Each structure stands twice: as structure tokens, then as C-alpha cells.
Amino acid sequence: MEFIDSYSVWKQLMLPPKGVDEETRDLRTDLLVSDEYLLSVTNLVDYGTFDPPKVDVFSYLDKLLRRAERMIVEGSPEVRESARNLHAYAALSRQLYQQYLEVGSQKQ
């Protein structure tokens, strides 16, 4: 998937799916934090401004992905379904951020 395609899908989803228990709700909240980091992607698309956040977005998203993976393995059927949706959103966010860095660095 190309950068602008990933961006379009991410923008349409905008908020990750709701959690079904405390752990998945906490994961969703942490994904909302990652959305704040990804606002820099919107600045690149809308204004051509490339200014990556000063935090390690990959590490942050990787931790969220691992948490979701654990919930998929260990959770109830409802938790597993919610965790799969949250995992998919985190994976898309990670892919989008990787593409953002590649495209943005070429524009400099």
C-alpha cells in the first residue's frame, strides 16, 4: 500500500475501535496517544511540512502491538476480537509512520 493510501485508510478510521474490558480500553487510550504523534503525518499531507515528533514512535507502537498480541492469545473471545481490531489499527499506524518518514525525508 502506498503512503497516500495508508493515510486515507488511517484518516477514515481516525479513532481505534473501542475496547471491551479495562485492558483493551487502556490499549485504545494508548493508541489515541499514538494518533497525536501521527498528526505530523497530516501536516506533511496537508501543508508539505515534515517535522517528525521527538519521541520514538516505533518503540511506542511496537509495545502496543505486543500488548495486543498477548491479549489475542490469552483473552476471552470478546477480548481477542477487540484486540485484533486494535492490533490492526496499531499495525496500520506503524506502516503509515514508516512511510511518512520515507516520503518526508525525500522531500527535504
Side-chain angles (χ1 to χ4, degrees):
M1 187 177 337
E2 298 292 321
F3 169 68
I4 202 66
D5 298 324
S6 297
Y7 176 76
S8 295
V9 171
W10 177 78
K11 193 77 168 167
Q12 288 175 2
L13 294 177
M14 203 50 159
L15 292 176
K18 293 187 180 192
V20 296
D21 69 345
E22 184 175 348
E23 198 170 15
T24 55
R25 283 190 293 273
D26 287 347
L27 180 57
R28 179 183 189 267
T29 299
D30 292 341
L31 279 168
L32 292 173
V33 171
S34 73
D35 276 356
E36 292 294 319
Y37 301 145
L38 293 177
L39 287 177
S40 59
V41 176
T42 300
N43 288 333
L44 178 62
V45 172
D46 291 347
Y47 308 109
T49 303
F50 180 65
D51 186 24
K54 306 301 182 234
V55 299
D56 186 348
V57 176
F58 289 123
S59 291
Y60 188 84
L61 288 169
D62 288 344
K63 287 177 189 174
L64 299 182
L65 286 163
R66 285 191 299 275
R67 282 171 52 198
E69 289 163 0
R70 183 182 47 74
M71 290 180 226
I72 292 167
V73 170
E74 299 173 359
S76 68
E78 295 83 15
V79 167
R80 286 195 304 265
E81 180 180 352
S82 180
R84 279 187 201 99
N85 290 332
L86 293 164
H87 186 277
Y89 188 86
L92 173 63
S93 296
R94 192 182 195 294
Q95 175 181 326
L96 175 62
Y97 190 70
Q98 177 67 46
Q99 292 170 327
Y100 159 76
L101 293 177
E102 291 167 4
V103 169
S105 65
Q106 293 171 4
K107 290 188 180 261
Q108 288 190 338

